[in-house]
Amino acid sequence: MELNFEAADIAFRDEVRDFFAGSIPEDWRTRVRAGLRLNPEELIHYQKMLAERGWGAPTWPVEYGGTGWSPVQQYIFWSEAARADAPAQFHQGLELIGPIIFTYGTPEQKDKYLPRIISADDWWCQGYSEPGAGSDLAALKTTAIKDGDHYVLNGQKMWTSYAHVASHVFVLARSSQEEKRQRGISLLLLDMESPGITVRKIPTMDEKYHTNDMFLDNVRVPVENLIGEEGRGWEYGKVLLDRERMVTASVAIFLKQTISAIRSAAARRVIGNVPLIEQPGFRGKLAQFEIEVMALQTMVLRLMADAANGAESGSRGSMVKLRWSQLTQEGTALWVEALGPEAMHFEAMEGEAAGLPSLPADMPYAMQGALYARVTSIYGGSSEIQHDIIARRAFGL
Amino acid sequence: MELNFEAADIAFRDEVRDFFAGSIPEDWRTRVRAGLRLNPEELIHYQKMLAERGWGAPTWPVEYGGTGWSPVQQYIFWSEAARADAPAQFHQGLELIGPIIFTYGTPEQKDKYLPRIISADDWWCQGYSEPGAGSDLAALKTTAIKDGDHYVLNGQKMWTSYAHVASHVFVLARSSQEEKRQRGISLLLLDMESPGITVRKIPTMDEKYHTNDMFLDNVRVPVENLIGEEGRGWEYGKVLLDRERMVTASVAIFLKQTISAIRSAAARRVIGNVPLIEQPGFRGKLAQFEIEVMALQTMVLRLMADAANGAESGSRGSMVKLRWSQLTQEGTALWVEALGPEAMHFEAMEGEAAGLPSLPADMPYAMQGALYARVTSIYGGSSEIQHDIIARRAFGL
Amino acid sequence: MDFNYNEEQQMLFDSVDRFGQQRFSQDKRRQALAGDIALNQKHWHEMAELGWLMIAIPEEAGGLGGSMADVMAITEAMGKNLVHYPFVATSILAPALLCDGSDAANVVLDKIGSGEAKVAAAFLEANSGYDLYRVGTTASSQDGAYVLSGEKCHVEDGGDADWYLVSARTGGSDDEVEGISLFLVPKDAPGLTVERFRSIDGHRHARLRFDQLRGAQRIGEADVALPVIERGVAKGIGAHLAEAIGSMEEVSRVTLEHLKTREQFGRPIGSFQVLQHRIVDMKIACEEARSIGSFANVHVGDENSSAAQRIAAAKVRVSECGIYVGKQAVQLHGGLGFSDELIVSHHFKRLYGLSVAYGSIDHHRKRYAE
Amino acid sequence: MDFNYNEEQQMLFDSVDRFGQQRFSQDKRRQALAGDIALNQKHWHEMAELGWLMIAIPEEAGGLGGSMADVMAITEAMGKNLVHYPFVATSILAPALLCDGSDAANVVLDKIGSGEAKVAAAFLEANSGYDLYRVGTTASSQDGAYVLSGEKCHVEDGGDADWYLVSARTGGSDDEVEGISLFLVPKDAPGLTVERFRSIDGHRHARLRFDQLRGAQRIGEADVALPVIERGVAKGIGAHLAEAIGSMEEVSRVTLEHLKTREQFGRPIGSFQVLQHRIVDMKIACEEARSIGSFANVHVGDENSSAAQRIAAAKVRVSECGIYVGKQAVQLHGGLGFSDELIVSHHFKRLYGLSVAYGSIDHHRKRYAE
């Protein structure tokens, strides 16, 4: 058992810390702490900033433009990013389709797409879910019929997050009807400019524009945009299972930001003459939250250390996802609580009246973060599905 | 909506309160507050005391020696008993077999058994569960083979609580093998003195003697001890479902006793110069417990009021059981916490050393109560089974 | 003893329920929420015509003198249909405060009952938490008139109010229970600045600043307004409890429906045991809320400490149950639950809003323990 | 970075595990628990022979000078097999306190290492809560010797101790951090009354009274013992964390086995989704506990506040996880879980005992927040 960072790791940490020092604008930091995604332009700006430094793809191998960092280095990188209130990188290109392309893609596909993911010249979104195929993805109905050197796609995708800003989308579609529902599904890369794609906003309860219905109406996709073999798209998703720990691990590390946000709100809010943060009841709740975050982050650290030592993560990626969504929900709710009744002031109706002190900068982001947090236990496999998966994988139940 | 007691109810309350005033010995009260059952002799004494006053069977009709009280009167009676730290009456005769006898029994059975339940001259225990038939009671294997004017019983019962003190036991046994497992089960009344009955203690984690294995080895039971018709014993249990609310309602009311116990322990224990009960953290937890108890007791009150108005209880009996077991677990644990490290002093090893102040009277009962409380979410249909039942009955799921 | 509505109360519930179903169906609700002023005004006048706005106004002041059970019948149906108007602030809380029999109060009560005016209570300040006795706003007497100075940071449902009922200090120091008086201030009074905010649940709140505001009308006796304020707020809370009960039962019903109809993996998701147990826990939460909520409302506003303790307890538990039910309703609906298009997330947001209106869970737990 | 035991630590774990499996199988455990003194003494001497009792004694004092990771390997295996002897009190906590290099201390360390003596720390008093700085017991200097007066209400694992390490006040007032000294007192010292108690988990505790007890041996410098005491207790907690981890993982394993083999309604109960999710939550609790428990142990006993905070945090979370796992293990075993015959309830009781040893969850959460 050896839980101290080595000297090289500490040097690396200092390097990263230097890089982040002062690099994140204040108005980003407030929203980041709320667990809110920055606007696409801001995320693109951030990704370019990292790419310029050579750090655009922290989890990718060097040969594809990645950093080749060890898991412990990745942990350090994310910890420092979190510490600086930097955002998490937008993951659909970097963590979802990128790894599939560099694992199963043709040389042409790799050359064409990978560099532009890192440089943020392309923005990818995911076309998997459908109205009747949410948790049960294998029930998808979108068809891809071969017609010469094209596939023709028809169907409706749902929950295609950021389709309204994306340049590309990767789509699972049924290229043949087979007995076993998972067979006959192919994975295709689409340019969002392709004729026949319509995107319609799905309004969500946090009143932010994240996600969409995407209608595919005779969309023609060149056959060279097929990933791997026709009908085996379902399998390619599996590469993501092993990488899942990277996505969840990185976001879990960012919970430290929520802690700072709560602390700062609770220090500002005075009841009687005592700041909320000094009142035993609130202190106890905050301490409990911090302790649970510490437990989760040590889980992540252990996962990364085991990965560095070549051990399987087992179902621990799912466990981190589960606990992270619980904690992000609890943390944002605690932040709302710390802000007091004014946290409900979601939007000024007639602008700021002259002479009144403006609201603290973290309203209404705290509330928006708390609302957004509800979906974290739904997307990417709901908490119920995660439990099912762990029971099956880890216990054979 | 009318939630005030009527004048007659208030007069009744005063009458009950007078009865209980000073009638419960101090050493009973401590154990009762711990949620522990008194010893059999004590419970018999208590039952005789009530019977003498004409209150031996608060939930039975007058014709069978009951009080004929309305549900609201029952609620008042139990509230006053709880207030006086009186114990709950032992329920296996009064609430489990008694109502079955007065509903399905022969006139001879009624005359023979009912008065002796009220007078506590008989003590009944229940022979239902078996090693392979716990939650799944219909899997029971004990056989009852007719042989002339007797049934001959063979098999093993488990969790026969108080079999070691009981004079009688009511047993479910298979009198024929039928397709539908619930058919062919008969309900029989046995004298514990019958040859062939062996009782063996099951040691339990609270180190109190509650429960037993009971072996039936060619036990001969006269046919007149069959309840109702042969093979229909399963159905007779149903009468209990509607009465279940009475048992759970009455025990839920007794949670007030746990509150007094916690309060008194937390007032005694001083940390620094501040009694625990004045420390915000503990105060908050106790308040939360009291509030949840209040919510449960208003559920009970509403259930009783609806029952008095002739409405069905639906699944609310199961809901009360569920919440009660949670709260009795939380309450006893909170009591242990209030007592501090010495709550772990379960048994003196070498007696009291001279000159040392003895431990408070509620140790080790608090700990024993907390351990015993674990079984409350298991017996009488585990919490998981209760959820299943409610989902099916209330929602048709 | 009877926890059920009597016949008249049931009729009242049914009529509000019909009103809600007709005017707040999913599509119409979005229009109303979008801030269509004419539409909202029309609804409000309909509510006045049906007599609901005067339910809690005493008969001697020209109202209906309804009981809290009558009020519950109305607000439960409003909760069920997510009627997002400031009914509780205007028609329950304000009348409880405007009880001094003065002409000034009676004029306002009249206008409340007829739907001509909305009123909100301005009690909370930046450093007051939810404690009603922490009043820093001052009302000093100058030339026979009161001059108000200070700020109120959150005025529940104050966004569309025509009058504000304001607690201000006429004596004592910041955290003393004595020395608090109650004032009536019209929204256009010189020296009053109002900042308005939309909340997540469609309610509209406000912040106020009093800058040497002159001519505020005192309601009731000077210095001893705190008990009146506390009992008034208790009634507002009591009405909100029923609203929460209506909302959580409705969203549970909708969720059960979803479990029975939505299919995944070739079967209704309601066949999954974990989801079955979840909906059972939601149902138990509803039962708890209804029981303790009704019970606490019996003596709400009585001048004794056990009545205050009961309402605090009910506020804690109903809020907890409501939040739980709202969250689980969203969760069991999956992505659909997160969308704004289904009513589910609207219930969640209202239950969230209700859980902090007139005091958070922690605040009321502490009050209970005191 | 590596969270796993190295080869030597794994061997240590395996050897303790073997010891436990051979001597604490279900039937033998009941005999040992029944208080068979000769048997317990035999076990203790075996443990001494294997060198475990001197693992934490510094090399310069004749011990093995093991790391906390070495200690964890031992106590985790003890937790797995529910070895109920006072190993942590005697062999981890006491050596951390007996660190002044004095002859008196070294004599005791020798006897600890050789299994000839057991030692327990007497810190808590009736009004101290779990706060180590609240010391009312006094040690006044008379004729060149210390005289101890006072009471210690709970001495963890003090039931079979031959010596007690006692905190007493040589200066300052009751709740001051300065003025506390540490004393060594043999169990048969005149003026010492010992009351012994069996706990639910087989451990044996004590209460002590000092009635003008003369001749207590001071360990370390006068008045400044508190930091030594706190760091020593932190090590005891660190060792307990691993014990809890061993226990909760084992009882989870047993429960999973039960889910796979026990049948109800014609199928293994592990096929019920609700029970599947429950065992998953137990597993997650084990993962959390192992991660934070190992992490906090790295720097345990270091003289900085973040080390103290980490151990407090780990103590909170591991205790919560342990209690959760223990309760669910009992619940999922149904009636069998409540019986004393299965090992399941024994794990639950030990996890309960561990959760309060050297400070309750609330105490450590508060410490963390300070």
Side-chain angles (χ1 to χ4, degrees), chain B residues 1-5 283-284 288 290-291 295 298-299 302 306 309 316 319 323 384 387-388 395, chain C residues 1-2 4 9 256 260 273 277 281 287-288 290-292 295 298-299 317 320 365 368-369:
Chain B
M1 196 177 286
E2 177 50 61
L3 300 185
N4 292 305
F5 286 126
R283 258 178 107 88
Q288 182 66 28
E290 291 187 25
I291 288 167
T298 55
M299 272 176 82
R302 184 163 152 252
D306 282 359
N309 298 325
R316 288 190 275 158
M319 295 183 188
R323 288 292 290 146
E384 291 77 14
H387 274 93
D388 285 345
F395 299 136
Chain C
M1 177 165 298
D2 194 350
N4 301 299
Q9 288 155 359
L256 177 61
K260 288 183 169 179
Q273 193 192 21
H277 285 206
D281 286 333
E287 291 289 328
E288 279 195 60
R290 178 172 287 283
S291 304
I292 196 171
F295 178 73
V298 191
H299 294 285
R317 194 61 191 155
E320 289 173 338
R365 192 189 296 108
Y368 171 87

Side-chain angles (χ1 to χ4, degrees), chain B residues 101-238:
Chain B
I101 291 174
F102 69 61
T103 310
Y104 299 107
T106 61
E108 293 71 29
Q109 288 170 339
K110 293 181 192 178
D111 290 346
K112 181 172 176 189
Y113 295 117
L114 296 179
R116 293 177 60 86
I117 290 176
I118 296 179
S119 66
D121 289 324
D122 289 348
W123 181 297
W124 284 86
C125 68
Q126 171 179 280
Y128 279 11
S129 297
E130 298 184 4
S135 297
D136 181 16
L137 195 57
L140 65 84
K141 292 201 167 62
T142 294
T143 53
I145 308 295
K146 200 140 170 204
D147 178 25
D149 55 359
H150 281 75
Y151 288 96
V152 180
L153 271 65
N154 279 288
Q156 181 188 349
K157 292 293 175 181
M158 200 175 183
W159 310 120
T160 34
S161 294
Y162 292 88
H164 54 298
V165 296
S167 58
H168 294 75
V169 57
F170 50 103
V171 168
L172 282 179
R174 199 166 286 287
S175 48
S176 73
Q177 304 293 334
E178 310 219 6
E179 287 257 321
K180 194 164 180 303
R181 299 184 309 158
Q182 284 84 350
R183 305 296 299 267
I185 292 177
S186 296
L187 179 59
L188 291 154
L189 310 180
L190 277 68
D191 191 314
M192 287 296 291
E193 301 290 324
S194 315
I197 298 183
T198 322
V199 165
R200 193 188 65 187
K201 174 181 177 177
I202 301 176
T204 54
M205 72 156 147
D206 59 345
E207 302 193 16
K208 200 163 185 275
Y209 189 177
H210 311 273
T211 199
N212 305 277
D213 285 313
M214 181 176 72
F215 301 91
L216 300 167
D217 181 17
N218 285 316
V219 179
R220 296 184 70 81
V221 183
V223 290
E224 62 262 29
N225 286 17
L226 174 73
I227 289 281
E229 289 177 42
E230 185 181 295
R232 301 188 57 185
W234 187 262
E235 296 165 38
Y236 302 141
K238 281 190 192 154

Side-chain angles (χ1 to χ4, degrees), chain D residues 210-241:
Chain D
F210 309 99
D211 191 6
Q212 299 283 318
L213 183 148
R214 293 187 152 267
Q217 176 71 45
R218 201 187 73 221
I219 301 291
E221 280 183 60
D223 292 345
V224 293
L226 186 64
V228 175
I229 289 174
E230 291 203 324
R231 290 201 301 276
V233 169
K235 286 191 182 174
I237 291 172
H240 269 168
L241 295 179

Side-chain angles (χ1 to χ4, degrees), chain A residues 85-371:
Chain A
D85 292 335
Q89 290 164 267
F90 191 76
H91 68 291
Q92 299 211 344
L94 278 171
E95 297 301 336
L96 298 188
I97 193 62
I100 290 179
I101 293 174
F102 69 62
T103 311
Y104 299 107
T106 61
E108 294 72 27
Q109 288 170 338
K110 293 181 192 177
D111 290 346
K112 180 170 176 191
Y113 295 117
L114 296 178
R116 294 177 59 87
I117 290 175
I118 296 178
S119 65
D121 290 323
D122 287 347
W123 181 297
W124 284 86
C125 68
Q126 171 178 281
Y128 279 12
S129 297
E130 298 184 6
S135 297
D136 181 16
L137 195 57
L140 66 83
K141 293 201 167 61
T142 295
T143 54
I145 309 294
K146 198 140 173 204
D147 177 24
D149 56 358
H150 281 77
Y151 288 95
V152 181
L153 271 64
N154 279 287
Q156 180 188 347
K157 293 291 175 181
M158 200 176 182
W159 311 118
T160 34
S161 293
Y162 292 89
H164 55 298
V165 296
S167 59
H168 294 75
V169 57
F170 51 104
V171 168
L172 282 179
R174 200 166 288 287
S175 48
S176 73
Q177 304 294 332
E178 309 220 6
E179 286 257 322
K180 194 165 181 300
R181 300 184 308 158
Q182 284 84 350
R183 305 294 298 267
I185 292 176
S186 296
L187 179 59
L188 291 155
L189 310 180
L190 276 67
D191 191 312
M192 287 296 291
E193 302 291 324
S194 316
I197 297 184
T198 322
V199 164
R200 194 190 65 188
K201 173 182 178 178
I202 301 177
T204 53
M205 72 156 149
D206 59 346
E207 301 191 17
K208 200 162 186 278
Y209 189 177
H210 309 274
T211 197
N212 305 278
D213 284 313
M214 183 176 71
F215 300 89
L216 301 167
D217 181 18
N218 286 317
V219 179
R220 295 185 71 82
V221 183
V223 290
E224 62 263 30
N225 285 18
L226 174 73
I227 288 281
E229 290 177 44
E230 183 182 296
R232 300 189 58 185
W234 186 263
E235 297 165 36
Y236 303 140
K238 281 190 192 152
V239 68
L240 298 184
L241 292 181
D242 290 335
R243 296 185 59 84
E244 190 186 0
R245 59 168 189 257
M246 300 306 167
V247 180
T248 52
S250 68
V251 293
I253 293 169
F254 284 81
L255 282 169
K256 279 175 191 158
Q257 298 175 333
T258 311
I259 293 174
S260 335
I262 303 169
R263 285 195 158 271
S264 132
R268 280 197 314 266
R269 180 145 172 257
V270 174
I271 300 179
N273 294 310
V274 187
L276 184 62
I277 202 167
E278 288 172 24
Q279 303 200 358
F282 192 86
R283 258 179 108 88
K285 289 207 287 194
L286 177 57
Q288 182 66 29
F289 178 67
E290 291 187 24
I291 288 167
E292 293 187 37
V293 168
M294 190 191 287
L296 179 64
Q297 294 186 335
T298 55
M299 272 176 81
V300 170
L301 188 59
R302 184 162 150 253
L303 190 58
M304 304 300 267
D306 283 0
N309 298 326
E312 271 298 305
S313 66
S315 300
R316 287 191 274 158
S318 289
M319 294 183 189
V320 170
K321 159 69 163 63
L322 263 178
R323 287 292 290 146
W324 168 75
S325 60
Q326 285 167 359
L327 290 175
T328 198
Q329 290 172 348
E330 285 167 23
T332 47
L334 195 56
W335 185 11
V336 166
E337 190 181 325
L339 289 165
E342 286 183 303
M344 291 287 145
H345 295 185
F346 197 65
E347 188 185 56
M349 280 164 49
E350 279 117 50
E352 301 285 298
L356 270 178
S358 61
L359 290 172
D362 44 6
M363 299 177 193
Y365 297 124
M367 180 55 80
Q368 200 165 45
L371 296 176

